[in-house]
Amino acid sequence: DTAVSQTPKYLVTQMGNDKSIKCEQNLGHDTMYWYKQDSKKFLKIMFSYNNKELIINETVPNRFSPKSPDKAHLNLHINSLELGDSAVYFCASSHAEGWGGVTEAFFGQGTRLTVV
Amino acid sequence: TQLLEQSPQFLSIQEGENLTVYCNSSSVFSSLQWYRQEPGEGPVLLVTVVTGGEVKKLKRLTFQFGDARKDSSLHITAAQTGDTGLYLCRVNAGKSTFGDGTTLTVKP
């Protein structure tokens, strides 16, 4: 059973379109994340949710809107896609982290988004 | 400026060689993690270090947390082609933060 699964794995779309990436975890974790990995492999946090509530919202264009219908799901919707949105997007989950402490984060396989 | 700076950025070695990669910061952390990411996959946790000066071993991998808890190193002995991947350090500095990674290629 896949612990963190995200779909689709590949997404090719035209500029201006709206697309969604879905993520589900079956680990019983309280916290879920979206990360963006750019062409230089830098992995940057975009959003973090704890028990369906948004706790971290990095400087991300408001064209990106996360939605957590329940603790096990965190979807990412992107409006008006731009060329610069092309990247690999990773969903992850973990137990809740106290300030300063890290717990193991489990990652999905990633969604490679290509905007043409 | 990156909170976590990893070096070297790229490393290409022959199978059987030893190597060390570093994760450095000017900040102090209560704990630090190392992940490995293989092509087409998400990062996978290798180890968590929590005590200054701590050394942890995972088969041929040795992890050390600096005495001041500002830096960490990962040493691989007798590298194998299966060690190829992107090595990332991670901390919680109010938010989950990764270093900029070291891409390791081990050639047969």
Side-chain angles (χ1 to χ4, degrees):
Chain A
D1 267 353
T2 305
V4 181
S5 60
Q6 55 181 107
T7 55
K9 190 167 169 65
Y10 300 97
L11 188 51
V12 181
T13 188
Q14 290 191 321
M15 272 195 329
N17 283 351
D18 303 339
K19 289 292 177 188
S20 292
I21 307 171
K22 294 187 175 182
C23 179
E24 176 181 4
Q25 55 99 0
N26 63 6
L27 298 167
H29 288 157
D30 299 316
T31 304
M32 294 186 73
Y33 313 82
W34 278 108
Y35 290 87
K36 179 180 180 180
Q37 189 169 46
D38 61 23
S39 57
K40 293 184 178 177
K41 304 295 185 190
F42 182 52
L43 199 58
K44 186 167 189 235
I45 191 165
M46 300 172 69
F47 302 102
S48 173
Y49 269 72
N50 191 49
N51 277 322
K52 302 193 303 173
E53 291 200 14
L54 180 66
I55 54 173
I56 289 175
N57 181 354
E58 285 297 290
T59 310
V60 174
N62 57 16
R63 297 180 295 103
F64 290 79
S65 51
K67 276 209 171 73
S68 183
D70 56 58
K71 232 172 63 162
H73 295 84
L74 181 61
N75 304 321
L76 184 65
H77 188 76
I78 317 169
N79 288 329
S80 304
L81 278 153
E82 300 177 358
L83 293 176
D85 297 331
S86 294
V88 181
Y89 292 84
F90 285 98
C91 175
S93 73
S94 73
H95 289 299
E97 294 181 336
W99 202 97
V102 281
T103 60
E104 182 173 4
F106 292 80
F107 284 78
Q109 282 197 306
T111 296
R112 181 174 292 277
L113 171 66
T114 305
V115 183
V116 297
Chain B
T1 307
Q2 284 280 92
L3 180 65
L4 297 173
E5 294 195 347
Q6 292 189 240
S7 61
Q9 193 177 357
F10 298 96
L11 189 54
S12 181
I13 60 170
Q14 294 293 135
E15 206 167 24
E17 291 183 9
N18 301 334
L19 66 115
T20 302
V21 299
Y22 301 91
C23 175
N24 295 313
S25 179
S26 55
S27 300
V28 177
F29 304 108
S30 59
S31 55
L32 181 146
Q33 294 178 324
W34 284 93
Y35 286 77
R36 178 169 64 214
Q37 183 181 12
E38 297 183 11
E41 302 290 331
V44 175
L45 179 68
L46 296 172
V47 79
T48 303
V49 285
V50 297
T51 307
E54 180 178 7
V55 175
K56 277 192 173 176
K57 291 196 174 185
L58 186 67
K59 297 184 183 176
R60 293 174 295 101
L61 278 59
T62 302
F63 304 85
Q64 183 157 10
F65 201 12
D67 290 341
R69 291 184 286 124
K70 292 182 178 181
D71 50 70
S72 181
S73 63
L74 157 57
H75 181 81
I76 302 180
T77 303
Q80 299 176 356
T81 55
D83 295 327
T84 291
L86 175 67
Y87 288 81
L88 296 158
C89 56
R90 174 180 179 248
V91 297
N92 177 356
K95 64 182 179 187
S96 168
T97 302
F98 280 90
D100 43 7
T102 292
T103 299
L104 172 64
T105 304
V106 181
K107 295 182 276 191

